[in-house]
Amino acid sequence: MGVFLNELFIGLSLASILLMVALGLAIIYGSMGVINLAHGQFVMLGAYGAWLLQDALGLSLLLAIPIVFLAVGLIGIVIERAVVHRLYHRPLDTILATWGIGIVIEQVVRLLLSSDARYVARPGFLDSGFDLAGAYIASYRLFVVVFALGMFAATWYVMFRTEFGMRLRAMVQNVEISRCYGISARRIYALTFAYGAGLAGIAGALVSPLVSVTPTMGNSFVVDAFLVVIVGGVGSLLGAGTSALMLGEATAWLSFLFNETTGRILILLAVVVFIRFRPEGMFPAKVRG
Amino acid sequence: MNRMFKFDCVGYLIFALIVLVLMPAMVGFGGYELNTYSRYLALGMVAAAVALSWGQAGILNLGQALTFGIGAYFTAMHLKLKASASLAGGLPDFMGWTNVEALPWFWVPFHSLAFTLAAIILVPAALAGLLGAFMFRGRITGVFVAIITLSLMLAVQLWIISEQGWTGGENGLTGLAPLSIFGFSLDPYTVAFYYLTAGLLLFVLGLALVIVKSKAGLVLRAIRENPERVRFFGYDVSRYETIVFAVSASMSGLAGMIYCLVLEFASPTYMGLSLSLAMVIWAAVGGRESVIAAALGGIAVNMAEGKLSDLFFDQWTLMLGVIFIAVVLFLPRGIFGLIDQLRLRFHERGSREQRVDAEPLSPPKTTEQEG
């Protein structure tokens, strides 16, 4: 029983990280069709932001989160205005351009802060853990799970209960007609990109105590996040949540049954087969044609 | 069409001159420096392979490094077995360290050079053929092809890294014997080796050009523009896509072989995400519409990388990133597109009709001009 709960919780913890990283990507890809390969670098920037604030100003991780969100979001706006907005009618080219952006971000960080691994401390009151029916629950991981759910709820609120979300959804349906109604496509797109980037930044900040922070850490996230988005279905928040949960739990269980590498290989193969038979994902977005 | 054909032939000849005369002359025909240039040629070949499937048929394969790596690993396996002949049981050294008792069954045929060479060409083709049939029959396109190919490549790379005893794991296959064909031993640091590489590249590009110029090439370009319509004309779209996918895979398998011979080792990084994306970028820089231009792009970018990284040890990656972004933004058709524009301007005086089909219809812009 203890082992079972333990694995369940590890899967939940992995799923929450996946969800946080994938949320921003799902929004950017779902709204604009931009395949943002620099997303992993946004996560990395968030982790470095948390480290900088802690190292230089002694800020606790929790206080760093809103600052990181705004800072990475701002970087997102700059990138969208400078590069991405010119590529909206060339979706496959966004892969190449954003990969170039990722290289640039990574290299700038390396030049400014060196390649040394950095470590971020957890908030003191989340340092310990507790036993639950024989399973060990690390407080910080539990906090990340709760926070990821909070981010998910907040994103849902923004998309479906605010003026901004309504405008964005209208644009996803039909850009031309939305513009006729006076919606500024340029502004909404820039803000959406910034929001997605900011979410990636938060994910990076929250992951930073669990991994070593390096300039190349983003690459490990971007592929997984993409798999989550594609399996979930483009432009579907519910799909992203469900597929993050599925992939997280599957990773935990397969790693437990075989080993970590075999688990990852099996998941990659399963995703390949899934995409082949359901390219629209689990919950395809319903767009009125 | 006639003029286009002339243009391609001239392009091919210029490329041959660059590869056969200009590049060796740049380093005074020194065998040692030409080793690096052979590496550029191998990477140029793989960029051309990307351009064949992406530029012609619109199949963006982000896992091109997979077949490249397979070619390199097969070559390395053969040479490793040769180097290990004197050891106990003919087992490669790393297998001894991880307590592998006997040679794994899939290593055995690589004792034979003929089998190895055949496998380098045919296994990538078979793999791509199977994957292509799997994907294209389901009418999978665009982004989904990119994600599937990428995922498969990462899965194979993970397997290679984890199976230390069978594949050399993270360290790859090192300590290889030189390749010997008909009793001649190939030294990668010689002028002869460079010319062998150049000959292979020119031969492969010639074949690719034949495909591009054939009716099949025309069908592929039609598929790129509008697969649905090609289907209505009664063509089996998935078959054409699968075939070009397989040819492209064979090309990168061969390129992987050369790459392994040049560097004298094979490593899992050959199947890495960054190398795979870099290959696509090279093709984009040269010009995805033309295999020759893409090959030049692969050679030029890597040459620039080699020069820049000597001059600016730290900043060159940054510059490279900026250049990539600039190319994607301002030269969507790569350097080839630029030349093509100039050529059309030059011919403008001759014929007005040429211009009509030369200016591609751009889709309506959705984000410019705020109302």
Side-chain angles (χ1 to χ4, degrees), chain A residues 223-235:
Chain A
V223 175
D224 290 355
F226 254 107
L227 298 183
V228 169
V229 173
I230 299 273
V231 168
V234 175

Side-chain angles (χ1 to χ4, degrees), chain A:
Chain A
M1 186 64 203
V3 175
F4 177 80
L5 272 179
N6 221 9
E7 287 307 311
L8 204 67
F9 179 69
I10 291 173
L12 198 61
S13 171
L14 289 172
S16 63
I17 293 169
L18 273 179
L19 178 61
M20 285 193 310
V21 177
L23 257 186
L25 200 65
I27 290 164
I28 292 174
Y29 184 42
S31 332
M32 317 175 217
V34 168
I35 295 151
N36 178 21
L37 281 190
H39 198 76
Q41 276 72 30
F42 291 161
V43 174
M44 180 264 289
L45 283 175
Y48 267 96
W51 171 77
L52 266 178
L53 290 167
Q54 194 169 83
D55 204 56
L57 305 175
L59 267 188
S60 154
L61 184 63
L62 298 185
L63 293 173
I65 287 173
I67 303 173
V68 164
F69 175 73
L70 292 174
V72 180
L74 202 64
I75 293 171
I77 286 196
V78 171
I79 287 173
E80 199 275 346
R81 286 283 81 206
V83 179
V84 178
H85 84 100
R86 300 166 207 270
L87 297 170
Y88 285 138
H89 52 286
R90 293 196 270 146
L92 280 183
D93 284 357
T94 57
I95 294 182
L96 307 180
T98 50
W99 188 64
I101 292 167
I103 293 179
V104 171
I105 293 176
E106 202 172 293
Q107 203 55 29
V108 167
V109 168
R110 190 173 285 129
L111 289 174
L112 292 177
L113 301 167
S114 85
S115 303
D116 303 345
R118 313 285 185 186
Y119 298 96
V120 178
R122 285 177 293 215
F125 69 96
L126 294 170
D127 249 344
S128 55
F130 55 90
D131 256 19
L132 185 92
Y136 179 74
I137 308 283
S139 302
Y140 185 74
R141 286 189 179 268
L142 187 64
F143 166 75
V144 171
V145 172
V146 174
F147 200 96
L149 285 172
M151 269 167 77
F152 185 76
T155 303
W156 182 87
Y157 184 85
V158 167
M159 292 292 282
F160 293 97
R161 289 286 180 275
T162 61
E163 182 80 5
F164 166 79
M166 191 148 73
R167 286 168 186 233
L168 179 61
R169 280 179 300 128
M171 278 175 37
V172 171
Q173 304 255 344
N174 191 322
V175 177
E176 296 304 316
I177 292 181
S178 308
R179 300 244 302 269
C180 296
Y181 276 98
I183 296 174
S184 163
R186 193 176 8 179
R187 241 191 47 223
I188 298 281
Y189 274 157
L191 283 172
T192 309
F193 198 86
Y195 182 69
L199 287 183
I202 293 184
L206 281 167
V207 168
S208 62
L210 301 170
V211 294
S212 52
V213 179
T214 62
T216 53
M217 69 184 275
N219 290 329
S220 56
F221 289 107
V222 72
V223 175
D224 290 355
F226 254 107
L227 298 183
V228 169
V229 173
I230 299 273
V231 168
V234 175
S236 159
L237 277 183
L238 184 64
T242 316
S243 72
L245 188 64
M246 271 177 29
L247 289 174
E249 286 293 345
T251 307
W253 284 104
L254 290 172
S255 306
F256 174 69
L257 291 171
F258 305 100
N259 61 48
E260 214 162 306
T261 316
T262 313
R264 249 192 91 73
I265 291 173
L266 287 173
I267 285 189
L268 284 168
L269 295 178
V271 167
V272 164
V273 174
F274 180 87
I275 294 174
R276 160 65 172 77
F277 292 105
R278 270 197 82 93
E280 69 276 19
M282 281 189 298
F283 301 101
K286 293 177 192 66
V287 177
R288 274 172 284 177

Side-chain angles (χ1 to χ4, degrees), chain B residues 236-253:
Chain B
D236 184 348
V237 167
S238 68
R239 178 177 302 173
Y240 278 93
E241 285 176 321
T242 307
I243 288 171
V244 77
F245 197 60
V247 172
S248 162
S250 281
M251 272 171 77
S252 53

Side-chain angles (χ1 to χ4, degrees), chain B residues 96 107 272:
Chain B
W107 272 77

